[in-house]
Amino acid sequence: MTPKSSLLIRRARILLPNGEFLVGDVQICDRQIVKVAAEIVESGDREIDAKGLTLLPGVIDPQVHFREPGLEHKEDLFTASCACAKGGVTSFLEMPNTRPLTTTQAALDDKLSRAAEKCLVNYGFFIGATPENLPDLLNANPTPGIKVFMGSMHGQLLVDGEATLEAIFAAGDRLIAVHAEDQARINQRRQEFAGISDVAVHSQIQDNQAALLATQLALKLSKKYQRRLHILHLSTGDEAELLRQEKPSWVTAEVTPQHLLLNTSAYQKIGSLAQMNPPLREPRDNEILWQALLDGVIDFIATDHAPHTLAEKAQDYPNTPSGMPGVETSLPLMLTQAVEGRCTVAQVANWMSAAVAKAYKIPKKGAIAPGFDADLVLVDLENYRPVVREEMVTKCGWSPFEGWNLTGWPAVTVVGGKVVFENGKLDTNVRGEALTFDAE
Ligand code: DOR
């Protein structure tokens, strides 16, 4: 039997599960937290002096696009997981629009074995719905759920007919996560705005109404079958107001930092780097989304990390691809909001870890307490540093937030009891584990 290795984090400001802070020590044995106390007398094989730093549960990012297999010129599971470790993201749930598409058990197994080889952090992969793969959707394992692109997608992953959607909602009981944009409306508006190459038109083509129509339909089907539904990257005030009026207890929703913090004014500053789906909206939408998050109408935060190369982004609209990276900046972006008084640090940790673990039924994640997995991030809430393009680890090599001065940058990231990021350096020998998901 291999001896157990222990790690002690000393004198950290520890976020406890009740939202309070304790200045003290955390003892980790192998992959698990074993003790949290004001002072732990035992010593550890390895000790970290965390004086002045705040210890939070590692971020679980529930919506990312990591491009492997098939699109590795944009990103791969190694580079993406390095970016995660640097950003304090200790687990991720990845989307099926890779090549081949993740629409079968074989494709899911292939991703899981690639991740076991390459990923510095923990991983889970959605199974993608097509109009034809119901048996795959029912049986795929392990997976956080079924991803349905109701719009804003082409090819096999587009599931935009109500009858096809209804068949998916009617069969089985596992979580359905929807990208809610109405493809018929997008198609019609694409024709109306054809010939315009100003990227700002993207937000008019895929407008608020397109998002609202699809969210209404997903809610209708979820209610009819009492089916567990998650609405990905809510982007409009209209959808948030709808959910405020009628959100069944089995429905959850998420928002991205960019839909909270950026709006259509970003097109003037960063052009097509601001292009994503669903698109950025108006300042009014930012405000309503924030309030919905604060009020619990929106449950948690995802980045929708969707890297594309600068060369791809330099084409003319509509040839520019939609999407922006996010895992390196999401935690400092949100913690900066907390330090500046918009929310609390405990709320950020809930939205970026505990609430995600709860919604996806990921056992033993999301809290700093004995028996939980030692996926942790020590952040520095005292100092500010700007987002710098040259420091980005994501393969795409840019961020929509370049120049933003942020606090709350990770100083140390721990995955499964192992230090994976410290003093600005990654330990690329660390490997995460496949996430598990309890049954609905
Ligand atoms: O902007 C986006 N980019 N939204 C999506 O839903 C897909 C993603 C991508 O894969 O590039």
Side-chain angles (χ1 to χ4, degrees):
M1 218 173 84
T2 47
K4 288 185 180 245
S5 69
S6 67
L7 173 68
L8 259 160
I9 300 175
R10 294 216 184 265
R11 298 196 290 173
R13 189 168 159 259
I14 305 161
L15 178 68
L16 301 175
N18 66 4
E20 286 173 15
F21 288 91
L22 168 79
V23 176
D25 303 346
V26 174
Q27 187 182 29
I28 294 153
C29 211
D30 282 344
R31 306 193 74 87
Q32 281 205 345
I33 298 168
V34 291
K35 199 168 176 184
V36 180
E39 198 176 346
I40 293 174
V41 287
E42 297 102 301
S43 56
D45 299 333
R46 168 112 211 255
E47 301 208 357
I48 294 174
D49 183 1
K51 188 160 182 279
L53 300 173
T54 298
L55 188 67
L56 304 175
V59 172
I60 307 171
D61 190 335
Q63 193 195 168
V64 299
H65 302 264
F66 282 172
R67 309 304 192 201
E68 182 175 348
L71 300 164
E72 289 93 340
H73 67 286
K74 299 174 194 275
E75 190 80 280
D76 62 56
L77 287 167
F78 176 72
T79 55
S81 68
C82 287
C84 285
K86 179 168 165 252
V89 176
T90 52
S91 300
F92 64 80
L93 304 180
E94 207 260 354
M95 288 297 164
N97 56 330
T98 39
R99 306 286 181 274
L101 307 173
T102 320
T103 54
T104 61
Q105 183 67 45
L108 182 61
D109 288 341
D110 176 51
K111 273 194 176 173
L112 286 161
S113 67
R114 287 166 181 270
E117 241 176 69
K118 299 183 168 184
C119 266
L120 280 65
V121 302
N122 306 312
Y123 45 86
F125 299 99
F126 279 89
I127 186 90
T130 75
E132 281 113 32
N133 72 340
L134 253 191
D136 301 274
L137 302 183
L138 293 173
N139 299 319
N141 184 49
T143 184
I146 299 167
K147 166 69 182 278
V148 178
F149 282 92
M150 297 173 73
S152 187
M153 186 42 71
H154 45 81
Q156 274 191 301
L157 275 186
L158 177 64
V159 184
D160 60 344
E162 183 167 342
T164 322
L165 273 171
E166 179 151 1
I168 295 170
F169 274 81
D173 58 3
R174 69 170 22 148
L175 181 148
I176 298 175
V178 293
H179 179 131
E181 288 191 274
D182 184 83
Q183 193 59 37
R185 183 170 172 92
I186 294 173
N187 291 344
Q188 176 214 323
R189 289 177 72 80
R190 255 189 209 143
Q191 286 180 6
E192 284 168 29
F193 291 91
I196 302 178
S197 61
D198 176 358
V199 64
V201 79
H202 187 64
S203 292
Q204 290 180 57
I205 295 173
Q206 301 191 199
D207 66 349
N208 288 33
Q209 186 64 16
L212 181 63
L213 285 171
T215 292
Q216 282 168 331
L217 175 56
L219 270 178
K220 181 178 99 178
L221 293 173
S222 168
K223 282 199 256 182
K224 182 163 175 189
Y225 295 99
Q226 300 207 356
R227 182 65 183 260
R228 175 77 179 91
L229 169 68
H230 176 65
I231 304 168
L232 298 158
H233 42 38
L234 210 73
S235 63
T236 69
D238 312 73
E239 292 161 284
E241 295 299 3
L242 171 67
L243 288 181
R244 191 182 286 281
Q245 300 307 318
E246 48 166 277
K247 186 179 171 222
S249 59
W250 60 86
V251 174
T252 52
E254 72 187 27
V255 66
T256 68
Q258 54 270 35
H259 287 112
L260 293 171
L261 299 170
L262 299 177
N263 51 56
T264 52
S265 67
Y267 292 120
Q268 280 142 40
K269 294 180 200 132
I270 59 170
S272 66
L273 301 187
Q275 181 190 329
M276 72 167 295
N277 298 330
L280 298 178
R281 310 294 187 188
E282 299 300 318
R284 172 185 171 274
D285 297 285
N286 297 144
E287 294 308 314
I288 301 175
L289 291 170
W290 260 110
Q291 198 54 52
L293 181 64
L294 289 166
D295 294 343
V297 173
I298 297 176
D299 300 85
F300 52 82
I301 288 173
T303 64
D304 193 17
H305 179 96
H308 298 284
T309 66
L310 285 166
E312 289 165 336
K313 283 286 199 181
Q315 299 167 89
D316 284 333
Y317 188 82
N319 298 326
T320 39
S322 293
M324 51 179 78
V327 293
E328 270 164 276
T329 49
S330 56
L331 184 59
L333 279 167
M334 293 308 297
L335 288 174
T336 300
Q337 294 296 310
V339 167
E340 294 178 359
R342 193 140 203 190
C343 55
T344 67
V345 171
Q347 280 175 314
V348 170
N350 180 48
W351 298 330
M352 300 187 77
S353 192
V356 179
K358 180 169 167 235
Y360 283 102
K361 299 188 187 294
I362 307 171
K364 297 190 295 179
K365 305 254 184 236
I368 305 177
F372 277 74
D373 290 339
D375 296 337
L376 301 163
V377 58
L378 272 169
V379 297
D380 175 4
L381 292 170
E382 303 294 324
N383 297 294
Y384 276 74
R385 245 182 335 110
V387 179
V388 176
R389 176 173 290 190
E390 291 67 33
E391 292 175 8
M392 290 292 129
V393 165
T394 169
K395 200 185 275 187
C396 73
W398 58 274
S399 163
F401 297 102
E402 286 163 27
W404 287 46
N405 205 26
L406 304 179
T407 189
W409 289 97
V412 178
T413 307
V414 175
V415 171
K418 297 215 167 62
V419 175
V420 66
F421 176 73
E422 189 178 19
N423 294 328
K425 288 204 177 61
L426 293 160
D427 180 349
T428 56
N429 295 314
V430 173
R431 288 293 172 271
E433 286 191 323
L435 295 169
T436 59
F437 310 95
D438 291 341
E440 285 301 320

